[in-house]
Amino acid sequence: MPDRTSAAAPASSGVPFDIRRVMAALPHRFPMLLVDRVEELVVDEKIVATKAVTINEPFFAGHFPGRPIMPGVLIVEALAQAAGVLAVESLGLSGSGKLVYFMAIDGAKFRTPVEPGVLLSLEVEFVQKRTSVCKFAGRALVGGKLAAEANFTAMIADPPTD
């Protein structure tokens, strides 16, 4: 485990995370799991993840028939899930049962439609990191072109009890 207290360069994940490691960090499952792979993770700083957008996504059946476009709210959700992986890995929460909950979304802007058949790159960085509340800035890109951006806040907490 990397020493996170040293003044050295931030720890990197080394190799990309495959879907199994993403699923170990997030509680989401099909059809709501929107992160397929982590390309880069720098602990306490940033994450670059990928969502393969395919025509098989259930939302494309109705959004929109004849012109399938990924709903903007799901693009923001994909960014939030990438942020969740970043938070879990940076705060050492893997296996703790803690969940990362949305608290606020600010400045969401959608620049270009996201259509089936693309790789959606999810770039998220910490704006502020605390043990119970974190702020993030995220950008979603297709082929290097900005598709969406948003700032958001999340709370780290225990899951609800029955």
Side-chain angles (χ1 to χ4, degrees):
M1 177 172 273
D3 180 294
R4 296 187 184 134
T5 60
S6 71
S12 175
S13 67
V15 297
F17 292 19
D18 65 10
I19 190 64
R20 289 179 298 273
R21 184 136 177 220
V22 170
M23 290 172 68
L26 296 175
H28 305 77
R29 295 298 180 262
F30 180 82
M32 283 306 299
L33 181 60
L34 300 174
V35 174
D36 294 320
R37 182 175 176 85
V38 173
E39 304 298 337
E40 178 185 6
L41 186 142
V42 179
V43 170
D44 297 330
E45 277 192 26
K46 68 176 183 173
I47 188 170
V48 178
T50 302
K51 163 69 179 147
V53 182
T54 71
I55 194 63
N56 298 327
E57 310 284 351
F59 51 80
F60 282 136
H63 199 270
F64 299 102
R67 181 64 156 80
I69 296 172
M70 185 173 183
V73 68
L74 293 181
I75 297 170
V76 174
E77 173 65 21
L79 288 167
Q81 288 182 22
V85 174
L86 176 60
V88 164
E89 292 291 323
S90 295
L91 296 170
L93 299 175
S94 188
S96 71
K98 298 275 188 189
L99 297 177
V100 181
Y101 294 102
F102 253 140
M103 289 178 65
I105 303 166
D106 297 305
K109 294 183 175 114
F110 304 96
R111 305 295 186 182
T112 188
V114 174
E115 299 174 312
V118 301
L119 292 177
L120 186 64
S121 180
L122 308 165
E123 299 179 355
V124 180
E125 60 185 35
F126 277 115
V127 173
Q128 182 180 65
K129 182 176 68 73
R130 300 211 171 124
T131 56
S132 60
V133 175
C134 297
K135 294 184 179 185
F136 304 92
R139 300 175 348 133
L141 300 104
V142 174
K145 183 176 179 184
L146 185 63
E149 60 189 325
N151 296 313
F152 44 96
T153 305
M155 169 180 62
I156 290 86
D158 292 318
T161 58
D162 292 337

